[in-house]
Amino acid sequence: MKADLKQIQVPIASEMTEFELKFRGLMKSKVKLLDHIMNYIVKRKGKQMRPMFVFLTAGVCGEINESTHRGAALIELLHTATLVHDDVVDDANYRRGFFSVNALWKNKIAVLVGDYLLSRGLLLSVDNGDFKLLQIVSNAVKEMSEGELLQIAKARKLDITEEVYYQIIRQKTASLIASCCAVGASSVEGNIEVVSKMQEFGEKVGMAFQIKDDLFDYGEEEIGKPVGIDIKEKKMTLPLIFALNNTDWLEKRRIISLIRNKSDDKKAVNQVITFVKKSGGLEYAKEKMNMFFQEALAILNQFPDSQYKTSLEDLVSYTIERKK
Amino acid sequence: MKADLKQIQVPIASEMTEFELKFRGLMKSKVKLLDHIMNYIVKRKGKQMRPMFVFLTAGVCGEINESTHRGAALIELLHTATLVHDDVVDDANYRRGFFSVNALWKNKIAVLVGDYLLSRGLLLSVDNGDFKLLQIVSNAVKEMSEGELLQIAKARKLDITEEVYYQIIRQKTASLIASCCAVGASSVEGNIEVVSKMQEFGEKVGMAFQIKDDLFDYGEEEIGKPVGIDIKEKKMTLPLIFALNNTDWLEKRRIISLIRNKSDDKKAVNQVITFVKKSGGLEYAKEKMNMFFQEALAILNQFPDSQYKTSLEDLVSYTIERKK
């Protein structure tokens, strides 16, 4: 690993501090219950990679300004809203080691809190006339929900191709990182070509990020995360898709039948994992992840050198080398 | 009843037809599962009172235009999104006599579909530069989620005052009708005072509308709707609040204990209903409903006469005289 998150943040340290303060302010509400939940959400904050992508991209393209800050807050509010909604969506009881909002206050509150966060983000942008940013982010909301729904639809059929897999992860994951980079660029630079180049860069990073995430499900490097959850939920990811496409039809039928009928059974899930590993599915997925990583770097290299660019490169390396 | 919905729509008949066509177009998606759900949602469409409020208010203030149409679509998309999310929120298995999206496709899909609808509305506005409309509507999203959360918080304590009740219904219900009217006015008229007058008009209508809805829970006029659901869910509405505030402390303690401990028991709920009726809670709530109704009409009367104004008056009368 080239650099840790702390080192990566050095060129944007003051921005990140300011961001955190402002974000806390945005999460306040007159309604006590809501304020209580907001405090809880602020406490369990994650790595904040999304605001880092916004600030670093802005730094690469120009001079970070107030609009960059609002863009970072808009994205983090949206991201937090989708996490809270995902708690409903995934029936997850844990998130980042805490109980999820969903488990503590039930589905109804999780949905409302997500909607509330989204509206705070919208108002922040609308009130300040950040319409370009709003357009980028609204599009990401559409892509993300469509991608998740596509994944649910396909999980029922188990006949997903590599192409559909890329479409799903492009919509559900890569679109948000792509908008981080587009928002960062757009906040400092009017040239549409520059903005869409950065958006493409972010999309490549997002694709690599999600493939990495899907590899974790096979116990690759990840520490302390349960294995085989995607298989249990009938989510077909790249290692499995490759393995199924490179075996004889009898074996394919056997594996699909295991997933369809026995995905609740630990033993059956382990059989699927062994099959994927034996078929070279993990190596193939890593190859593809590296391909997206290299494509991302190639785009970034078209921009002039700076401390921001170095940190952004390190952040991209971090996303595919991270251990969790 | 002065006029039915069909008659009320006469001055905006062509607008409503065009609206419906466009709305169907907006609900299309490349994702089959989503498209399937969208068709289902379009089929079970309600009375479409919200677009009516948008078009009629616009007609009263000026000349209906393309921006009015997009405003109506934005509000209907938002309203549909909140209905789909409410299916999760209320654990409702039925809505308008059909199975709810939630019951058919489960919580996770309902949340995602709601988010998708919201994003379609956002994009429609952002892509066309309707930023004033977006500001009005984003604010409504914030108010609505905050109001619902306030109601949930207060339902746990059972100590709600009339003032808090008004705050809840202002946020959770009146804010959306207020934005219908503000959006209609704003789409045809730049004068902020006119827009905020129409917003105030819509708020009064929304207050009357919700009190009417809360009266239905006591079997007032409503046909075929179950009675006592609010009490079962510990939602304190105006008739009950008034009744509790106008009785001796012993009786008050007895009723609150029934709601707190026995609200699942049909008999106990009936006792609460009888208590409210005997205490004049229904008459008091009707009085307040009429007060808001009169205040709404007084504001509307400041606008010049037109066929739109007549229909808008009839629509307001309809909201407080409706039987369901």
Side-chain angles (χ1 to χ4, degrees), chain A residues 231-252:
Chain A
I231 298 169
K232 197 178 158 194
E233 293 178 354
K234 305 190 200 323
K235 280 182 194 160
M236 310 286 277
T237 63
L238 190 52
L240 179 57
I241 293 166
F242 173 84
L244 286 173
N245 286 341
N246 288 278
T247 192
D248 58 89
W249 71 270
L250 241 169
E251 180 74 344
K252 184 170 178 172

mmCIF file with all atom_site columns, all heavy atoms in Angstrom, chain A residues 231-252:
data_model
loop_
_atom_site.group_PDB
_atom_site.id
_atom_site.type_symbol
_atom_site.label_atom_id
_atom_site.label_alt_id
_atom_site.label_comp_id
_atom_site.label_asym_id
_atom_site.label_entity_id
_atom_site.label_seq_id
_atom_site.pdbx_PDB_ins_code
_atom_site.Cartn_x
_atom_site.Cartn_y
_atom_site.Cartn_z
_atom_site.occupancy
_atom_site.B_iso_or_equiv
_atom_site.pdbx_formal_charge
_atom_site.auth_seq_id
_atom_site.auth_comp_id
_atom_site.auth_asym_id
_atom_site.auth_atom_id
_atom_site.pdbx_PDB_model_num
ATOM 1   N N   . ILE A 1 231 ? -23.599 -14.986 -2.327  1.00 0.00 ? 231 ILE A N   1
ATOM 2   C CA  . ILE A 1 231 ? -24.124 -16.259 -2.834  1.00 0.00 ? 231 ILE A CA  1
ATOM 3   C C   . ILE A 1 231 ? -25.420 -16.593 -2.110  1.00 0.00 ? 231 ILE A C   1
ATOM 4   O O   . ILE A 1 231 ? -26.413 -16.981 -2.723  1.00 0.00 ? 231 ILE A O   1
ATOM 5   C CB  . ILE A 1 231 ? -23.086 -17.395 -2.638  1.00 0.00 ? 231 ILE A CB  1
ATOM 6   C CG1 . ILE A 1 231 ? -21.815 -17.070 -3.440  1.00 0.00 ? 231 ILE A CG1 1
ATOM 7   C CG2 . ILE A 1 231 ? -23.664 -18.741 -3.060  1.00 0.00 ? 231 ILE A CG2 1
ATOM 8   C CD1 . ILE A 1 231 ? -20.632 -17.957 -3.123  1.00 0.00 ? 231 ILE A CD1 1
ATOM 9   N N   . LYS A 1 232 ? -25.409 -16.407 -0.791  1.00 0.00 ? 232 LYS A N   1
ATOM 10  C CA  . LYS A 1 232 ? -26.613 -16.657 0.001   1.00 0.00 ? 232 LYS A CA  1
ATOM 11  C C   . LYS A 1 232 ? -27.790 -15.832 -0.527  1.00 0.00 ? 232 LYS A C   1
ATOM 12  O O   . LYS A 1 232 ? -28.929 -16.307 -0.586  1.00 0.00 ? 232 LYS A O   1
ATOM 13  C CB  . LYS A 1 232 ? -26.313 -16.290 1.457   1.00 0.00 ? 232 LYS A CB  1
ATOM 14  C CG  . LYS A 1 232 ? -27.311 -16.861 2.431   1.00 0.00 ? 232 LYS A CG  1
ATOM 15  C CD  . LYS A 1 232 ? -26.958 -16.510 3.865   1.00 0.00 ? 232 LYS A CD  1
ATOM 16  C CE  . LYS A 1 232 ? -28.225 -16.622 4.693   1.00 0.00 ? 232 LYS A CE  1
ATOM 17  N NZ  . LYS A 1 232 ? -28.112 -16.012 6.005   1.00 0.00 ? 232 LYS A NZ  1
ATOM 18  N N   . GLU A 1 233 ? -27.496 -14.567 -0.904  1.00 0.00 ? 233 GLU A N   1
ATOM 19  C CA  . GLU A 1 233 ? -28.570 -13.680 -1.392  1.00 0.00 ? 233 GLU A CA  1
ATOM 20  C C   . GLU A 1 233 ? -28.789 -13.809 -2.904  1.00 0.00 ? 233 GLU A C   1
ATOM 21  O O   . GLU A 1 233 ? -29.494 -13.008 -3.500  1.00 0.00 ? 233 GLU A O   1
ATOM 22  C CB  . GLU A 1 233 ? -28.238 -12.231 -1.034  1.00 0.00 ? 233 GLU A CB  1
ATOM 23  C CG  . GLU A 1 233 ? -28.274 -11.988 0.463   1.00 0.00 ? 233 GLU A CG  1
ATOM 24  C CD  . GLU A 1 233 ? -27.898 -10.551 0.827   1.00 0.00 ? 233 GLU A CD  1
ATOM 25  O OE1 . GLU A 1 233 ? -27.495 -9.796  -0.082  1.00 0.00 ? 233 GLU A OE1 1
ATOM 26  O OE2 . GLU A 1 233 ? -28.012 -10.208 2.013   1.00 0.00 ? 233 GLU A OE2 1
ATOM 27  N N   . LYS A 1 234 ? -28.139 -14.807 -3.502  1.00 0.00 ? 234 LYS A N   1
ATOM 28  C CA  . LYS A 1 234 ? -28.287 -15.082 -4.944  1.00 0.00 ? 234 LYS A CA  1
ATOM 29  C C   . LYS A 1 234 ? -27.808 -13.929 -5.822  1.00 0.00 ? 234 LYS A C   1
ATOM 30  O O   . LYS A 1 234 ? -28.300 -13.735 -6.937  1.00 0.00 ? 234 LYS A O   1
ATOM 31  C CB  . LYS A 1 234 ? -29.732 -15.447 -5.289  1.00 0.00 ? 234 LYS A CB  1
ATOM 32  C CG  . LYS A 1 234 ? -30.312 -16.622 -4.481  1.00 0.00 ? 234 LYS A CG  1
ATOM 33  C CD  . LYS A 1 234 ? -31.643 -17.049 -5.056  1.00 0.00 ? 234 LYS A CD  1
ATOM 34  C CE  . LYS A 1 234 ? -32.522 -17.847 -4.114  1.00 0.00 ? 234 LYS A CE  1
ATOM 35  N NZ  . LYS A 1 234 ? -31.899 -18.792 -3.222  1.00 0.00 ? 234 LYS A NZ  1
ATOM 36  N N   . LYS A 1 235 ? -26.872 -13.126 -5.285  1.00 0.00 ? 235 LYS A N   1
ATOM 37  C CA  . LYS A 1 235 ? -26.286 -12.070 -6.107  1.00 0.00 ? 235 LYS A CA  1
ATOM 38  C C   . LYS A 1 235 ? -25.162 -12.681 -6.931  1.00 0.00 ? 235 LYS A C   1
ATOM 39  O O   . LYS A 1 235 ? -24.200 -13.209 -6.376  1.00 0.00 ? 235 LYS A O   1
ATOM 40  C CB  . LYS A 1 235 ? -25.712 -10.948 -5.232  1.00 0.00 ? 235 LYS A CB  1
ATOM 41  C CG  . LYS A 1 235 ? -26.755 -9.979  -4.730  1.00 0.00 ? 235 LYS A CG  1
ATOM 42  C CD  . LYS A 1 235 ? -26.100 -8.876  -3.901  1.00 0.00 ? 235 LYS A CD  1
ATOM 43  C CE  . LYS A 1 235 ? -27.152 -8.110  -3.111  1.00 0.00 ? 235 LYS A CE  1
ATOM 44  N NZ  . LYS A 1 235 ? -26.576 -7.377  -1.968  1.00 0.00 ? 235 LYS A NZ  1
ATOM 45  N N   . MET A 1 236 ? -25.279 -12.599 -8.256  1.00 0.00 ? 236 MET A N   1
ATOM 46  C CA  . MET A 1 236 ? -24.262 -13.196 -9.124  1.00 0.00 ? 236 MET A CA  1
ATOM 47  C C   . MET A 1 236 ? -23.177 -12.158 -9.391  1.00 0.00 ? 236 MET A C   1
ATOM 48  O O   . MET A 1 236 ? -23.420 -11.166 -10.074 1.00 0.00 ? 236 MET A O   1
ATOM 49  C CB  . MET A 1 236 ? -24.891 -13.604 -10.446 1.00 0.00 ? 236 MET A CB  1
ATOM 50  C CG  . MET A 1 236 ? -26.159 -14.425 -10.300 1.00 0.00 ? 236 MET A CG  1
ATOM 51  S SD  . MET A 1 236 ? -25.812 -16.114 -9.770  1.00 0.00 ? 236 MET A SD  1
ATOM 52  C CE  . MET A 1 236 ? -25.417 -16.847 -11.355 1.00 0.00 ? 236 MET A CE  1
ATOM 53  N N   . THR A 1 237 ? -21.977 -12.399 -8.858  1.00 0.00 ? 237 THR A N   1
ATOM 54  C CA  . THR A 1 237 ? -20.896 -11.437 -9.098  1.00 0.00 ? 237 THR A CA  1
ATOM 55  C C   . THR A 1 237 ? -19.856 -12.024 -10.059 1.00 0.00 ? 237 THR A C   1
ATOM 56  O O   . THR A 1 237 ? -19.909 -13.206 -10.404 1.00 0.00 ? 237 THR A O   1
ATOM 57  C CB  . THR A 1 237 ? -20.243 -10.996 -7.772  1.00 0.00 ? 237 THR A CB  1
ATOM 58  O OG1 . THR A 1 237 ? -19.654 -12.135 -7.166  1.00 0.00 ? 237 THR A OG1 1
ATOM 59  C CG2 . THR A 1 237 ? -21.277 -10.371 -6.844  1.00 0.00 ? 237 THR A CG2 1
ATOM 60  N N   . LEU A 1 238 ? -18.907 -11.171 -10.440 1.00 0.00 ? 238 LEU A N   1
ATOM 61  C CA  . LEU A 1 238 ? -17.991 -11.519 -11.525 1.00 0.00 ? 238 LEU A CA  1
ATOM 62  C C   . LEU A 1 238 ? -17.258 -12.861 -11.363 1.00 0.00 ? 238 LEU A C   1
ATOM 63  O O   . LEU A 1 238 ? -17.208 -13.648 -12.322 1.00 0.00 ? 238 LEU A O   1
ATOM 64  C CB  . LEU A 1 238 ? -16.993 -10.366 -11.748 1.00 0.00 ? 238 LEU A CB  1
ATOM 65  C CG  . LEU A 1 238 ? -16.107 -10.450 -12.986 1.00 0.00 ? 238 LEU A CG  1
ATOM 66  C CD1 . LEU A 1 238 ? -16.901 -10.695 -14.253 1.00 0.00 ? 238 LEU A CD1 1
ATOM 67  C CD2 . LEU A 1 238 ? -15.259 -9.187  -13.133 1.00 0.00 ? 238 LEU A CD2 1
ATOM 68  N N   . PRO A 1 239 ? -16.678 -13.166 -10.186 1.00 0.00 ? 239 PRO A N   1
ATOM 69  C CA  . PRO A 1 239 ? -15.956 -14.444 -10.082 1.00 0.00 ? 239 PRO A CA  1
ATOM 70  C C   . PRO A 1 239 ? -16.857 -15.640 -10.417 1.00 0.00 ? 239 PRO A C   1
ATOM 71  O O   . PRO A 1 239 ? -16.450 -16.544 -11.144 1.00 0.00 ? 239 PRO A O   1
ATOM 72  C CB  . PRO A 1 239 ? -15.535 -14.470 -8.600  1.00 0.00 ? 239 PRO A CB  1
ATOM 73  C CG  . PRO A 1 239 ? -15.500 -13.037 -8.181  1.00 0.00 ? 239 PRO A CG  1
ATOM 74  C CD  . PRO A 1 239 ? -16.601 -12.360 -8.942  1.00 0.00 ? 239 PRO A CD  1
ATOM 75  N N   . LEU A 1 240 ? -18.079 -15.606 -9.909  1.00 0.00 ? 240 LEU A N   1
ATOM 76  C CA  . LEU A 1 240 ? -19.030 -16.696 -10.146 1.00 0.00 ? 240 LEU A CA  1
ATOM 77  C C   . LEU A 1 240 ? -19.482 -16.749 -11.604 1.00 0.00 ? 240 LEU A C   1
ATOM 78  O O   . LEU A 1 240 ? -19.573 -17.831 -12.208 1.00 0.00 ? 240 LEU A O   1
ATOM 79  C CB  . LEU A 1 240 ? -20.235 -16.521 -9.210  1.00 0.00 ? 240 LEU A CB  1
ATOM 80  C CG  . LEU A 1 240 ? -21.365 -17.541 -9.316  1.00 0.00 ? 240 LEU A CG  1
ATOM 81  C CD1 . LEU A 1 240 ? -20.855 -18.969 -9.086  1.00 0.00 ? 240 LEU A CD1 1
ATOM 82  C CD2 . LEU A 1 240 ? -22.467 -17.217 -8.297  1.00 0.00 ? 240 LEU A CD2 1
ATOM 83  N N   . ILE A 1 241 ? -19.758 -15.573 -12.168 1.00 0.00 ? 241 ILE A N   1
ATOM 84  C CA  . ILE A 1 241 ? -20.201 -15.522 -13.565 1.00 0.00 ? 241 ILE A CA  1
ATOM 85  C C   . ILE A 1 241 ? -19.135 -16.105 -14.486 1.00 0.00 ? 241 ILE A C   1
ATOM 86  O O   . ILE A 1 241 ? -19.416 -16.918 -15.367 1.00 0.00 ? 241 ILE A O   1
ATOM 87  C CB  . ILE A 1 241 ? -20.525 -14.061 -13.968 1.00 0.00 ? 241 ILE A CB  1
ATOM 88  C CG1 . ILE A 1 241 ? -21.749 -13.564 -13.206 1.00 0.00 ? 241 ILE A CG1 1
ATOM 89  C CG2 . ILE A 1 241 ? -20.767 -13.950 -15.482 1.00 0.00 ? 241 ILE A CG2 1
ATOM 90  C CD1 . ILE A 1 241 ? -21.947 -12.062 -13.264 1.00 0.00 ? 241 ILE A CD1 1
ATOM 91  N N   . PHE A 1 242 ? -17.874 -15.713 -14.244 1.00 0.00 ? 242 PHE A N   1
ATOM 92  C CA  . PHE A 1 242 ? -16.780 -16.246 -15.056 1.00 0.00 ? 242 PHE A CA  1
ATOM 93  C C   . PHE A 1 242 ? -16.681 -17.773 -14.902 1.00 0.00 ? 242 PHE A C   1
ATOM 94  O O   . PHE A 1 242 ? -16.567 -18.511 -15.885 1.00 0.00 ? 242 PHE A O   1
ATOM 95  C CB  . PHE A 1 242 ? -15.441 -15.604 -14.660 1.00 0.00 ? 242 PHE A CB  1
ATOM 96  C CG  . PHE A 1 242 ? -14.263 -16.231 -15.342 1.00 0.00 ? 242 PHE A CG  1
ATOM 97  C CD1 . PHE A 1 242 ? -13.894 -15.832 -16.622 1.00 0.00 ? 242 PHE A CD1 1
ATOM 98  C CD2 . PHE A 1 242 ? -13.532 -17.261 -14.728 1.00 0.00 ? 242 PHE A CD2 1
ATOM 99  C CE1 . PHE A 1 242 ? -12.807 -16.432 -17.263 1.00 0.00 ? 242 PHE A CE1 1
ATOM 100 C CE2 . PHE A 1 242 ? -12.454 -17.856 -15.363 1.00 0.00 ? 242 PHE A CE2 1
ATOM 101 C CZ  . PHE A 1 242 ? -12.094 -17.437 -16.636 1.00 0.00 ? 242 PHE A CZ  1
ATOM 102 N N   . ALA A 1 243 ? -16.746 -18.223 -13.650 1.00 0.00 ? 243 ALA A N   1
ATOM 103 C CA  . ALA A 1 243 ? -16.602 -19.663 -13.382 1.00 0.00 ? 243 ALA A CA  1
ATOM 104 C C   . ALA A 1 243 ? -17.705 -20.454 -14.092 1.00 0.00 ? 243 ALA A C   1
ATOM 105 O O   . ALA A 1 243 ? -17.443 -21.492 -14.701 1.00 0.00 ? 243 ALA A O   1
ATOM 106 C CB  . ALA A 1 243 ? -16.625 -19.914 -11.878 1.00 0.00 ? 243 ALA A CB  1
ATOM 107 N N   . LEU A 1 244 ? -18.945 -19.946 -14.023 1.00 0.00 ? 244 LEU A N   1
ATOM 108 C CA  . LEU A 1 244 ? -20.065 -20.659 -14.652 1.00 0.00 ? 244 LEU A CA  1
ATOM 109 C C   . LEU A 1 244 ? -19.928 -20.685 -16.178 1.00 0.00 ? 244 LEU A C   1
ATOM 110 O O   . LEU A 1 244 ? -20.339 -21.657 -16.824 1.00 0.00 ? 244 LEU A O   1
ATOM 111 C CB  . LEU A 1 244 ? -21.401 -20.004 -14.265 1.00 0.00 ? 244 LEU A CB  1
ATOM 112 C CG  . LEU A 1 244 ? -21.882 -20.259 -12.834 1.00 0.00 ? 244 LEU A CG  1
ATOM 113 C CD1 . LEU A 1 244 ? -23.119 -19.427 -12.525 1.00 0.00 ? 244 LEU A CD1 1
ATOM 114 C CD2 . LEU A 1 244 ? -22.188 -21.749 -12.622 1.00 0.00 ? 244 LEU A CD2 1
ATOM 115 N N   . ASN A 1 245 ? -19.366 -19.613 -16.723 1.00 0.00 ? 245 ASN A N   1
ATOM 116 C CA  . ASN A 1 245 ? -19.209 -19.548 -18.177 1.00 0.00 ? 245 ASN A CA  1
ATOM 117 C C   . ASN A 1 245 ? -18.034 -20.379 -18.682 1.00 0.00 ? 245 ASN A C   1
ATOM 118 O O   . ASN A 1 245 ? -17.828 -20.503 -19.881 1.00 0.00 ? 245 ASN A O   1
ATOM 119 C CB  . ASN A 1 245 ? -19.024 -18.094 -18.629 1.00 0.00 ? 245 ASN A CB  1
ATOM 120 C CG  . ASN A 1 245 ? -20.332 -17.346 -18.562 1.00 0.00 ? 245 ASN A CG  1
ATOM 121 O OD1 . ASN A 1 245 ? -21.399 -17.948 -18.530 1.00 0.00 ? 245 ASN A OD1 1
ATOM 122 N ND2 . ASN A 1 245 ? -20.257 -16.020 -18.526 1.00 0.00 ? 245 ASN A ND2 1
ATOM 123 N N   . ASN A 1 246 ? -17.233 -20.898 -17.756 1.00 0.00 ? 246 ASN A N   1
ATOM 124 C CA  . ASN A 1 246 ? -16.065 -21.668 -18.163 1.00 0.00 ? 246 ASN A CA  1
ATOM 125 C C   . ASN A 1 246 ? -16.051 -23.067 -17.562 1.00 0.00 ? 246 ASN A C   1
ATOM 126 O O   . ASN A 1 246 ? -15.018 -23.566 -17.124 1.00 0.00 ? 246 ASN A O   1
ATOM 127 C CB  . ASN A 1 246 ? -14.789 -20.901 -17.797 1.00 0.00 ? 246 ASN A CB  1
ATOM 128 C CG  . ASN A 1 246 ? -14.596 -19.700 -18.701 1.00 0.00 ? 246 ASN A CG  1
ATOM 129 O OD1 . ASN A 1 246 ? -14.095 -19.819 -19.808 1.00 0.00 ? 246 ASN A OD1 1
ATOM 130 N ND2 . ASN A 1 246 ? -15.053 -18.533 -18.240 1.00 0.00 ? 246 ASN A ND2 1
ATOM 131 N N   . THR A 1 247 ? -17.216 -23.665 -17.547 1.00 0.00 ? 247 THR A N   1
ATOM 132 C CA  . THR A 1 247 ? -17.302 -25.042 -17.067 1.00 0.00 ? 247 THR A CA  1
ATOM 133 C C   . THR A 1 247 ? -18.272 -25.808 -17.972 1.00 0.00 ? 247 THR A C   1
ATOM 134 O O   . THR A 1 247 ? -18.964 -25.190 -18.786 1.00 0.00 ? 247 THR A O   1
ATOM 135 C CB  . THR A 1 247 ? -17.759 -25.069 -15.592 1.00 0.00 ? 247 THR A CB  1
ATOM 136 O OG1 . THR A 1 247 ? -17.575 -26.379 -15.086 1.00 0.00 ? 247 THR A OG1 1
ATOM 137 C CG2 . THR A 1 247 ? -19.212 -24.674 -15.442 1.00 0.00 ? 247 THR A CG2 1
ATOM 138 N N   . ASP A 1 248 ? -18.331 -27.135 -17.828 1.00 0.00 ? 248 ASP A N   1
ATOM 139 C CA  . ASP A 1 248 ? -19.278 -27.891 -18.658 1.00 0.00 ? 248 ASP A CA  1
ATOM 140 C C   . ASP A 1 248 ? -20.709 -27.730 -18.131 1.00 0.00 ? 248 ASP A C   1
ATOM 141 O O   . ASP A 1 248 ? -20.923 -27.312 -16.995 1.00 0.00 ? 248 ASP A O   1
ATOM 142 C CB  . ASP A 1 248 ? -18.884 -29.369 -18.704 1.00 0.00 ? 248 ASP A CB  1
ATOM 143 C CG  . ASP A 1 248 ? -18.843 -29.960 -17.321 1.00 0.00 ? 248 ASP A CG  1
ATOM 144 O OD1 . ASP A 1 248 ? -19.865 -30.466 -16.839 1.00 0.00 ? 248 ASP A OD1 1
ATOM 145 O OD2 . ASP A 1 248 ? -17.746 -29.867 -16.692 1.00 0.00 ? 248 ASP A OD2 1
ATOM 146 N N   . TRP A 1 249 ? -21.693 -28.076 -18.961 1.00 0.00 ? 249 TRP A N   1
ATOM 147 C CA  . TRP A 1 249 ? -23.091 -27.757 -18.607 1.00 0.00 ? 249 TRP A CA  1
ATOM 148 C C   . TRP A 1 249 ? -23.577 -28.545 -17.405 1.00 0.00 ? 249 TRP A C   1
ATOM 149 O O   . TRP A 1 249 ? -24.422 -28.084 -16.650 1.00 0.00 ? 249 TRP A O   1
ATOM 150 C CB  . TRP A 1 249 ? -24.012 -27.948 -19.817 1.00 0.00 ? 249 TRP A CB  1
ATOM 151 C CG  . TRP A 1 249 ? -24.231 -29.382 -20.230 1.00 0.00 ? 249 TRP A CG  1
ATOM 152 C CD1 . TRP A 1 249 ? -23.489 -30.088 -21.108 1.00 0.00 ? 249 TRP A CD1 1
ATOM 153 C CD2 . TRP A 1 249 ? -25.256 -30.261 -19.761 1.00 0.00 ? 249 TRP A CD2 1
ATOM 154 N NE1 . TRP A 1 249 ? -23.961 -31.360 -21.222 1.00 0.00 ? 249 TRP A NE1 1
ATOM 155 C CE2 . TRP A 1 249 ? -25.057 -31.502 -20.410 1.00 0.00 ? 249 TRP A CE2 1
ATOM 156 C CE3 . TRP A 1 249 ? -26.317 -30.135 -18.864 1.00 0.00 ? 249 TRP A CE3 1
ATOM 157 C CZ2 . TRP A 1 249 ? -25.884 -32.604 -20.198 1.00 0.00 ? 249 TRP A CZ2 1
ATOM 158 C CZ3 . TRP A 1 249 ? -27.133 -31.238 -18.634 1.00 0.00 ? 249 TRP A CZ3 1
ATOM 159 C CH2 . TRP A 1 249 ? -26.916 -32.460 -19.293 1.00 0.00 ? 249 TRP A CH2 1
ATOM 160 N N   . LEU A 1 250 ? -23.025 -29.740 -17.185 1.00 0.00 ? 250 LEU A N   1
ATOM 161 C CA  . LEU A 1 250 ? -23.457 -30.560 -16.044 1.00 0.00 ? 250 LEU A CA  1
ATOM 162 C C   . LEU A 1 250 ? -23.070 -29.885 -14.732 1.00 0.00 ? 250 LEU A C   1
ATOM 163 O O   . LEU A 1 250 ? -23.891 -29.739 -13.818 1.00 0.00 ? 250 LEU A O   1
ATOM 164 C CB  . LEU A 1 250 ? -22.786 -31.929 -16.127 1.00 0.00 ? 250 LEU A CB  1
ATOM 165 C CG  . LEU A 1 250 ? -23.748 -33.109 -16.260 1.00 0.00 ? 250 LEU A CG  1
ATOM 166 C CD1 . LEU A 1 250 ? -22.979 -34.387 -16.595 1.00 0.00 ? 250 LEU A CD1 1
ATOM 167 C CD2 . LEU A 1 250 ? -24.573 -33.298 -14.993 1.00 0.00 ? 250 LEU A CD2 1
ATOM 168 N N   . GLU A 1 251 ? -21.796 -29.464 -14.670 1.00 0.00 ? 251 GLU A N   1
ATOM 169 C CA  . GLU A 1 251 ? -21.298 -28.779 -13.478 1.00 0.00 ? 251 GLU A CA  1
ATOM 170 C C   . GLU A 1 251 ? -22.061 -27.463 -13.280 1.00 0.00 ? 251 GLU A C   1
ATOM 171 O O   . GLU A 1 251 ? -22.439 -27.107 -12.163 1.00 0.00 ? 251 GLU A O   1
ATOM 172 C CB  . GLU A 1 251 ? -19.788 -28.503 -13.650 1.00 0.00 ? 251 GLU A CB  1
ATOM 173 C CG  . GLU A 1 251 ? -19.113 -27.785 -12.493 1.00 0.00 ? 251 GLU A CG  1
ATOM 174 C CD  . GLU A 1 251 ? -18.913 -28.679 -11.271 1.00 0.00 ? 251 GLU A CD  1
ATOM 175 O OE1 . GLU A 1 251 ? -19.555 -29.744 -11.194 1.00 0.00 ? 251 GLU A OE1 1
ATOM 176 O OE2 . GLU A 1 251 ? -18.111 -28.294 -10.386 1.00 0.00 ? 251 GLU A OE2 1
ATOM 177 N N   . LYS A 1 252 ? -22.292 -26.765 -14.384 1.00 0.00 ? 252 LYS A N   1
ATOM 178 C CA  . LYS A 1 252 ? -23.021 -25.497 -14.318 1.00 0.00 ? 252 LYS A CA  1
ATOM 179 C C   . LYS A 1 252 ? -24.408 -25.721 -13.707 1.00 0.00 ? 252 LYS A C   1
ATOM 180 O O   . LYS A 1 252 ? -24.853 -24.968 -12.844 1.00 0.00 ? 252 LYS A O   1
ATOM 181 C CB  . LYS A 1 252 ? -23.148 -24.909 -15.731 1.00 0.00 ? 252 LYS A CB  1
ATOM 182 C CG  . LYS A 1 252 ? -23.797 -23.541 -15.773 1.00 0.00 ? 252 LYS A CG  1
ATOM 183 C CD  . LYS A 1 252 ? -23.673 -22.895 -17.151 1.00 0.00 ? 252 LYS A CD  1
ATOM 184 C CE  . LYS A 1 252 ? -24.372 -21.538 -17.167 1.00 0.00 ? 252 LYS A CE  1
ATOM 185 N NZ  . LYS A 1 252 ? -24.107 -20.793 -18.417 1.00 0.00 ? 252 LYS A NZ  1
#
